[in-house]
Amino acid sequence: MISSPLKYSAVIVILLYALTFSFSVSARPATFLQDFKVAWADSHIKQIDGGKAIQLILDQNSGCGFASKSKYLFGRVSMKIKLVPGDSAGTVTAFYMNSDTDNVRDELDFEFLGNRSGQPYTVQTNVYVHGKGDKEQRINLWFDPSADFHTYTILWNHHHTVFYVDSVPIRVYKNNEAKGIPFPKFQPMGVYSTLWEADDWATRGGLEKINWSKSPFYAYYKDFDIEGCAMPGPANCASNPRNWWEGANYQQLSAVEARQYRWVRMNHMIYDYCTDKSRNPVPPPECVAGI
């Protein structure tokens, strides 16, 4: 049996460890303003429910965007988003991570491409590594993302980057550095989201233009969740193998996730840069290595 003084000491040690860990790893914020700030068009972002949710607005005057106050090196970020309903052709709602380093930027993109009423919403993902992008994949969602909130997640660790929709993996970009293929692991990235007009390319390659008579357009966000190594921060955080997102369960897809991933690619993928012979007569090396 442990004596009371020893029990008390053990509790103190556990509390100190927990406090130390909490300073190195971001926790789930209670409100939008805890971890985020308005990046542009303050008048087009409205807080709801005391800041637990927000509304983004696009009209003929402006779109808008927000950004995390910190950058992160590895971790997981997720948000619940309800996309623009109805005739949203020409609009793009983006949720992404970006190193904000211009020519050598790293970036992990979700881009939700608007549609004409009754057509599926298309999600485009893209990966930039050391300034090189052009790695687009597109899927049509299997539900109406404007009818309710759905969870969109980016998991980023030393082994791979995975894009999830409601816990279903839709894109995997593996760390194939051993095969000479770059992987984003040196630059911390901020978390961003925007709602903007892109009718020169977003819907059917720009054939469908935005219908301003339907504006303003609205997208909604809630349950902002960033868990990662904030930078600047403890020097050993990003390389700590005890970070939960580096654990064995997150180093590769589980058997269930692998089946879900195959299902998405077989039934909902409508474009993959790896198989686009007109753009890539020779498949890019990461496609050959296995993505």
Side-chain angles (χ1 to χ4, degrees), residues 74-75 108 154-164 169 171-176 183-184 245-254 257 290-291:
F74 301 112
L108 308 170
I154 300 171
L155 172 73
W156 173 35
N157 62 29
H158 285 80
H159 304 275
H160 58 190
T161 295
V162 186
F163 297 78
Y164 290 93
R171 173 83 182 262
V172 178
Y173 189 86
K174 293 182 180 179
N175 184 341
N176 279 309
F183 184 78
W245 53 84
E246 300 288 356
N249 291 338
Y250 301 94
Q251 294 178 12
Q252 61 185 6
L253 298 184
S254 68
E257 289 176 332
I291 58 172

Side-chain angles (χ1 to χ4, degrees), residues 31-269:
T31 65
F32 167 72
L33 288 178
Q34 183 172 333
D35 273 3
F36 294 94
K37 61 185 178 183
V38 175
W40 58 290
D42 181 84
S43 62
H44 284 58
I45 296 182
K46 298 187 183 301
Q47 295 188 56
I48 303 170
D49 191 21
K52 293 181 181 178
I54 59 170
Q55 177 193 64
L56 271 60
I57 304 168
L58 167 64
D59 58 27
Q60 284 184 279
N61 295 315
S62 181
C64 58
F66 64 88
S68 59
K69 295 177 180 178
S70 299
K71 290 184 178 181
Y72 302 85
L73 192 56
F74 301 112
R76 184 187 68 182
V77 57
S78 70
M79 298 180 188
K80 289 184 178 177
I81 307 173
K82 184 161 67 170
L83 296 173
V84 175
D87 185 350
S88 57
T91 69
V92 174
T93 307
F95 162 43
Y96 59 103
M97 300 188 73
N98 189 323
S99 63
D100 195 25
T101 46
D102 296 328
N103 293 333
V104 292
R105 81 181 189 274
D106 291 336
E107 186 169 311
L108 308 170
D109 293 336
F110 270 114
E111 291 178 306
F112 305 95
L113 311 183
N115 63 358
R116 285 266 107 94
S117 299
Q119 297 174 352
Y121 240 102
T122 297
V123 178
Q124 175 170 285
T125 57
N126 200 355
V127 176
Y128 284 77
V129 185
H130 304 171
K132 179 68 169 66
D134 300 325
K135 300 177 180 66
E136 300 92 345
Q137 292 182 354
R138 293 182 180 181
I139 68 162
N140 283 339
L141 288 172
W142 51 94
F143 54 85
D144 180 358
S146 67
D148 203 351
F149 286 93
H150 291 267
T151 303
Y152 304 93
T153 302
I154 300 171
L155 172 73
W156 173 35
N157 62 29
H158 285 80
H159 304 275
H160 58 190
T161 295
V162 186
F163 297 78
Y164 290 93
V165 175
D166 288 336
S167 300
V168 175
I170 67 164
R171 173 83 182 262
V172 178
Y173 189 86
K174 293 182 180 179
N175 184 341
N176 279 309
E177 287 183 306
K179 299 178 180 179
I181 298 166
F183 184 78
K185 72 173 192 179
F186 299 108
Q187 300 189 95
M189 291 190 267
V191 183
Y192 300 85
S193 189
T194 55
L195 174 59
W196 53 292
E197 172 196 358
D199 69 0
D200 57 333
W201 66 272
T203 306
R204 295 183 59 212
L207 294 177
E208 305 281 1
K209 301 301 182 182
I210 198 164
N211 183 354
W212 288 114
S213 70
K214 302 294 185 181
S215 69
F217 302 99
Y218 301 107
Y220 296 87
Y221 293 70
K222 67 178 183 178
D223 293 358
F224 311 97
D225 181 6
I226 302 176
E227 296 178 79
C229 290
M231 297 289 161
N236 63 346
C237 180
S239 59
N240 187 348
R242 290 190 295 273
N243 290 331
W244 69 261
W245 53 84
E246 300 288 356
N249 291 338
Y250 301 94
Q251 294 178 12
Q252 61 185 6
L253 298 184
S254 68
V256 171
E257 289 176 332
R259 287 196 296 271
Q260 292 172 329
Y261 186 45
R262 287 193 296 271
W263 174 79
V264 169
R265 294 179 68 84
M266 289 177 62
N267 296 284
H268 296 279
M269 177 169 281

